[in-house]
Amino acid sequence: MYVREPTYEVSYMFRKILVPVDGSSHSLRALSVAIDFAKRYGSAVVALVVDDGTTGPLERISEALSSISKKSGVDLQTKVVKVSSGSSTANAIVEEVSRGGYDLVVISARGRTVNPDLIMGSVALSVVVNVPISVFVVR
């Protein structure tokens, strides 16, 4: 039986990855998946923190991202976006995707959602439906 050697097409498909991070353990798990992509395929990873007023102390999230970057050996770029009045977190993510030239979004199925019965949160669902690029949903 012939088994093909891996071609690593992924390294050409997903050069720049966006990971929305809200500080939850779910979003940090999505970030670890993106970091694994970066280590294996040389992808650039951008962690997007959307400040919607309920995110909590941004310094805490920034420190966590910096620590993760140092431990993993992957250079993370962190971007903070403030949600304007009349907009939403999902809209801010979709706008960043359209402006940033990303190839992939790695997003957690749920963020800071309190209801554990929810399979996918509204932000993840909106991103999956509205961005024109591949989305990797981490459960």
Side-chain angles (χ1 to χ4, degrees), residues 46-94:
V46 177
L48 178 69
V49 179
V50 179
D51 182 9
D52 62 357
T54 66
T55 309
L58 295 177
E59 296 82 25
R60 182 181 59 83
I61 296 172
S62 294
E63 288 171 5
L65 293 174
S66 177
S67 172
I68 290 168
S69 177
K70 286 178 186 166
K71 282 182 189 174
S72 68
V74 173
D75 187 29
L76 290 178
Q77 179 186 352
T78 303
K79 201 172 218 182
V80 178
V81 175
K82 183 124 174 104
V83 173
S84 59
S85 178
S87 189
S88 67
T89 300
N91 193 38
I93 295 167
V94 171

Side-chain angles (χ1 to χ4, degrees), residues 2-137:
Y2 175 72
V3 178
R4 289 184 54 199
E5 290 294 318
T7 61
Y8 298 103
E9 288 182 35
V10 170
S11 63
Y12 297 104
M13 294 172 60
F14 304 132
R15 300 299 304 149
K16 190 173 180 186
I17 301 172
L18 179 70
V19 185
V21 177
D22 61 7
S24 68
S25 62
H26 298 287
S27 68
L28 295 178
R29 193 167 11 157
L31 181 62
S32 71
V33 169
I35 287 172
D36 188 56
F37 268 78
K39 286 180 177 178
R40 293 176 189 271
Y41 307 114
S43 307
V45 179
V46 177
L48 178 69
V49 179
V50 179
D51 182 9
D52 62 357
T54 66
T55 309
L58 295 177
E59 296 82 25
R60 182 181 59 83
I61 296 172
S62 294
E63 288 171 5
L65 293 174
S66 177
S67 172
I68 290 168
S69 177
K70 286 178 186 166
K71 282 182 189 174
S72 68
V74 173
D75 187 29
L76 290 178
Q77 179 186 352
T78 303
K79 201 172 218 182
V80 178
V81 175
K82 183 124 174 104
V83 173
S84 59
S85 178
S87 189
S88 67
T89 300
N91 193 38
I93 295 167
V94 171
E95 286 176 5
E96 178 60 28
V97 167
S98 65
R99 276 188 307 239
Y102 298 96
D103 302 308
L104 175 69
V105 177
V106 178
I107 191 168
S108 60
R110 295 181 12 198
R112 293 176 288 136
T113 305
V114 190
N115 185 354
D117 297 329
L118 214 65
I119 293 172
M120 184 178 288
S122 60
V123 173
L125 182 60
S126 183
V127 170
V128 167
V129 170
N130 291 301
V131 297
I133 62 173
S134 298
V135 180
F136 188 109
V137 179

